[in-house]
Amino acid sequence: MHLPRRRRADFAPTAEFVYPAHLKAALGDLPAAPGVYVFHGDDPAMPLYIGKSVNLRQRVLSHLRNPDEDRLLRQTRRISHICTAGDIGAQLLEAQMIKTLHPLLNQKLRRNRQLCAWQRQGGQLQLVYSKDVDFAQAPDLYGLFASRHAAIERLRQVADEHRLCYAHLGLEKLPPGRACFRAALRQCAGMCRGDETPAAHDERLLGALRQVQVVCWPYPGAVGLVERTGDFSQVHVVNNWCYLGSAATPTEAARFTRQAAGFDADGYQILVRPLMQGGAEIVPLSPGF
């Protein structure tokens, strides 16, 4: 007879959800404002969970009332928070703190050392890695992937959706002069057998990839993104899509520009839309503007 594996008592679910009354005091100073909150357990060096919200009080209350989060709540001893001047600042600070503090129950936004992308080189797509190429400045990059496997699967999906040739994309090896099997099934438009030119094939490929093209850092150096909520304002310092910190004024923010600023995928995802759509208030922090 198969017996289920016994789990540690710390992680075993309770028979019935009990509201965590021991955390009620933590709600006293939680504002209905943007920011980051932290659930702390017994280990002061490792938080249990880090989250962000545009309304800290409402978001933390939703945790306390959720039976599905019983595991987190039973281990939590206190809850702290940091206010920000808006949602962008909350997203940036959350991502930075997760990568720095490695909370036990956060799975997303952890540092990825294998970040890769497709790059157009000599008419062909090549897989390149952020440890070798500066993703903030390199042209013709497409997609940001956590692994080689994820990059290949995404390219395969694009090929299937747009009837592109696996062989021309390097996804399949063919003997010279032989058409691919997908062409016979009309899943490939037939570049491999001369039904379309390589130029026409590549034009369709680039059109499909354009929606995931990585934008080069558009400034000659660090900038400050100004965010305000009521009387509270912050200048978020960013360089090469990497968040360096926040300050109350541009003068104070300038001290962050001395830090190294390598490409950060989380910062890119958070910042690319507000910076490129032109709605954000930007102040220069480096010479050359």
Side-chain angles (χ1 to χ4, degrees):
M1 180 173 61
H2 174 72
L3 295 176
R5 186 191 308 175
R6 295 185 62 186
R7 288 182 290 183
R8 289 174 49 190
D10 289 347
F11 296 91
T14 55
E16 183 178 349
F17 175 70
V18 178
Y19 183 84
H22 68 290
L23 298 177
K24 189 174 181 180
L27 300 174
D29 62 344
L30 272 172
V36 171
Y37 59 91
V38 183
F39 284 74
H40 301 271
D42 292 322
D43 185 350
M46 179 179 288
L48 296 173
Y49 183 80
I50 297 175
K52 56 86 183 173
S53 178
V54 294
N55 187 322
L56 287 168
R57 184 176 182 83
Q58 185 179 76
R59 182 69 184 100
V60 172
L61 269 172
S62 71
H63 281 287
L64 302 189
R65 294 167 177 166
N66 188 353
D68 292 336
E69 300 189 29
D70 185 38
R71 170 191 176 189
L72 167 65
L73 299 176
R74 283 186 292 111
Q75 295 178 82
T76 301
R77 299 295 172 261
R78 65 185 182 91
I79 303 171
S80 64
H81 72 276
I82 302 172
C83 287
T84 62
D87 183 43
I88 294 176
Q91 293 183 64
L92 292 170
L93 182 59
E94 178 200 34
Q96 183 187 69
M97 290 177 66
I98 288 174
K99 284 192 280 284
T100 302
L101 300 175
H102 307 289
L104 186 63
L105 300 179
N106 285 90
Q107 297 301 319
K108 296 182 178 180
L109 298 176
R110 293 183 182 273
R111 186 176 299 278
N112 187 341
R113 301 183 185 279
Q114 298 296 321
L115 186 69
C116 55
W118 292 106
Q119 185 177 44
R120 185 85 167 162
Q121 297 179 0
Q124 295 292 324
L125 287 178
Q126 301 290 335
L127 195 60
V128 295
Y129 292 83
S130 59
K131 62 183 177 64
D132 304 316
V133 175
D134 183 358
F135 278 19
Q137 303 293 335
D140 301 323
L141 290 179
Y142 300 94
L144 294 171
F145 304 99
S147 67
R148 181 177 183 273
H149 174 77
I152 291 175
E153 286 303 305
R154 177 56 179 155
L155 184 59
R156 197 183 303 275
Q157 180 184 1
V158 169
D160 291 341
E161 291 173 354
H162 298 273
R163 299 179 65 222
L164 300 170
C165 181
Y166 278 11
H168 186 65
L169 296 177
L171 297 173
E172 178 182 310
K173 290 185 179 180
L174 287 179
R178 184 174 176 179
C180 72
F181 180 68
R182 292 175 65 254
L185 300 176
R186 297 189 177 183
Q187 296 172 353
C188 162
M191 192 220 75
C192 51
R193 64 185 181 189
D195 293 350
E196 70 172 342
T197 65
H201 178 279
D202 290 350
E203 184 178 351
R204 293 193 299 112
L205 169 63
L206 293 178
L209 291 176
R210 197 164 291 123
Q211 60 182 326
V212 294
Q213 185 169 6
V214 179
V215 180
C216 290
W217 178 243
Y219 303 101
V223 299
L225 189 158
V226 182
E227 200 170 25
R228 296 183 177 86
T229 296
D231 296 332
F232 183 28
S233 66
Q234 286 182 305
V235 182
H236 309 306
V237 185
V238 187
N239 195 8
N240 290 331
W241 300 113
C242 181
Y243 171 61
L244 302 179
S246 298
T249 67
T251 300
E252 293 178 13
R255 62 189 174 91
F256 288 105
T257 62
R258 295 189 293 270
Q259 299 180 30
F263 181 85
D264 178 70
D266 298 321
Y268 177 84
Q269 298 292 352
I270 295 167
L271 292 162
V272 65
R273 183 170 295 178
L275 262 62
M276 300 311 296
Q277 288 184 344
E281 181 182 347
I282 303 297
V283 295
L285 298 175
S286 298
F289 282 84

